[in-house]
Amino acid sequence: MTMSMKDEILKRILAANGEAVSGQELADSLGVSRTAVWKHMQTLQEEGYTFETIKKKGYVLTGVPNSLSPTQIELFLKTEHFGREIHYFDVVDSTQTIAHKLAQEGAPHGTVIIGEEQTAGRGRMARPWESVHGSGIWMTVIVRPDVTPQQASSFTLVVAVAVTMAIKTLYSDIEPAIKWPNDLLINGKKCTGILTEMQAEADLVQALLVGIGINANQEAADFSSEIADIATSLRLEAGEEINRAALVALILQYLEQFTELYIEEGFASMKTLWEQLSCTIGQRIEVTTIRERFEGIASGITDDGVLQLTQDDGLVRTIYAGDIKIL
């Protein structure tokens, strides 16, 4: 990841762990003027970082904003590929749109596009997704697995497992559950949506664009009246502010780990874990497809991640795509 001068200064100040960092030493080591360092410090303050200036010693970091800047994420990152190239935006129309363009231009495996706000965020079937500034995690990861388009159909379920595990690891009091195929619920309310889109040839996946939207730090008043009764945030459920950068880094760590497993062994290798984390299996559900609507018991998923539903007459139906409602 190529860092700007401002980010390099911030990285060194963060690494000082509360000790003073000399402005002159920063200037000398980075090959810039003392005035240039001061200007970058002013920009960092405008972004929400706070400093105490100690005479003859330098800058001491006293406050860090809850931001998703590459520098903040890198502090927690333990991956080899995922998140090693990050495209960060304060405001963006949709991270998916930018990901499609970057993927076509050859962006490497694990590239992340992330924004503080989306003005045209979307979920499955082009449904709008509310993306409040500075409150959630709105990102797309470019994944380049060596699989066929047919094999890639189950990758959304892999992503759901990675996000669920990351949330449970950092916030043990929260119990997110996966609703097939792409939502995470907490106490029956939606906190996360996943959108996987594909760039592919007939027999080869060029890239999977994995969009992840997480309601992280919203308060109840942040949700519009249309979704207030069905949406929640991690903050509301945990009762504390969510460190978004730490959560992003851990999601990328789990996603890298599970992607490697998925490429080597397929979805079947994590099917049991998905079922353990799901709130769908064993429940009575209503399924809506393009052609019809029906209901029954969600009796399981196949090794390819396809949902199986048992109707009241005993007929087992295979659900490849559709909307489900837990009854």
Side-chain angles (χ1 to χ4, degrees), residues 154-184:
S154 61
F155 193 70
T156 295
L157 281 69
V158 176
V159 180
V161 171
V163 176
T164 302
M165 291 299 297
I167 293 172
K168 287 170 65 71
T169 299
L170 285 183
Y171 302 97
S172 58
D173 291 340
I174 299 179
E175 286 293 335
I178 303 169
K179 177 188 168 195
W180 187 92
N182 70 319
D183 291 341
L184 266 60

Side-chain angles (χ1 to χ4, degrees), residues 38-322:
W38 179 82
K39 287 181 177 179
H40 287 305
M41 295 299 294
Q42 292 296 109
T43 302
L44 288 170
Q45 286 183 312
E46 291 170 4
E47 293 177 359
Y49 295 90
T50 58
F51 304 92
E52 180 183 355
T53 304
I54 300 178
K55 192 174 182 180
K56 296 184 179 180
K57 288 189 176 182
Y59 301 102
V60 175
L61 183 66
T62 56
V64 177
N66 193 335
S67 93
L68 292 172
S69 70
T71 307
Q72 286 293 105
I73 294 171
E74 189 186 44
L75 289 174
F76 305 96
L77 204 56
K78 298 178 181 178
T79 59
E80 183 176 352
H81 302 290
F82 283 48
R84 293 304 169 181
E85 181 172 316
I86 297 177
H87 297 261
Y88 170 72
F89 302 88
D90 185 56
V91 179
V92 65
D93 57 354
S94 167
T95 59
Q96 287 289 105
T97 302
I98 294 175
H100 273 283
K101 181 175 182 292
L102 290 174
Q104 290 170 346
E105 294 172 352
H109 178 63
T111 296
V112 173
I113 301 89
I114 197 162
E116 296 288 355
E117 178 184 352
Q118 293 183 118
T119 58
R122 57 189 170 87
R124 288 175 67 237
M125 302 180 184
R127 294 178 179 130
W129 180 276
E130 294 185 7
S131 309
V132 180
H133 188 281
S135 294
I137 293 171
W138 327 121
M139 71 176 178
T140 300
V141 185
I142 297 174
V143 183
R144 298 189 183 274
D146 184 14
V147 297
T148 66
Q150 293 73 27
Q151 292 171 310
S153 61
S154 61
F155 193 70
T156 295
L157 281 69
V158 176
V159 180
V161 171
V163 176
T164 302
M165 291 299 297
I167 293 172
K168 287 170 65 71
T169 299
L170 285 183
Y171 302 97
S172 58
D173 291 340
I174 299 179
E175 286 293 335
I178 303 169
K179 177 188 168 195
W180 187 92
N182 70 319
D183 291 341
L184 266 60
L185 309 182
I186 303 176
N187 296 322
K189 292 187 174 184
K190 184 172 177 176
C191 72
T192 300
I194 299 165
L195 174 65
T196 303
E197 297 177 320
M198 181 165 48
Q199 294 179 358
E201 298 176 6
D203 58 353
L204 178 67
V205 171
Q206 298 287 356
L208 296 177
L209 299 312
V210 180
I212 302 171
I214 303 175
N215 296 332
N217 280 321
Q218 286 94 331
E219 300 285 3
D222 292 325
F223 295 115
S224 68
S225 58
E226 288 81 8
I227 65 171
D229 292 337
I230 59 173
T232 189
S233 72
L234 301 181
R235 180 175 189 157
L236 288 172
E237 301 298 331
E240 62 180 281
E241 185 178 18
I242 304 302
N243 186 322
R244 294 182 300 147
L247 180 54
V248 166
L250 192 55
I251 289 171
L252 294 175
Q253 182 177 332
Y254 274 112
L255 187 55
E256 183 172 88
Q257 172 189 334
F258 289 138
T259 297
E260 291 174 0
L261 183 62
Y262 160 78
I263 293 171
E264 293 172 4
E265 302 180 18
F267 176 71
S269 60
M270 62 192 77
K271 172 186 170 183
T272 300
L273 178 57
W274 187 94
E275 290 177 327
Q276 292 171 349
L277 298 172
S278 174
C279 61
T280 305
I281 306 306
Q283 299 295 316
R284 187 169 189 85
I285 62 173
E286 179 184 82
V287 179
T288 302
T289 68
I290 296 174
R291 297 183 179 85
E292 60 182 329
R293 180 179 298 174
F294 51 91
E295 62 181 69
I297 301 297
S299 47
I301 55 171
T302 69
D303 287 349
D304 296 321
V306 178
L307 183 66
Q308 294 180 313
L309 177 141
T310 303
Q311 295 186 160
D312 294 341
D313 60 5
L315 177 68
V316 177
R317 302 186 63 159
T318 301
I319 315 300
Y320 291 93

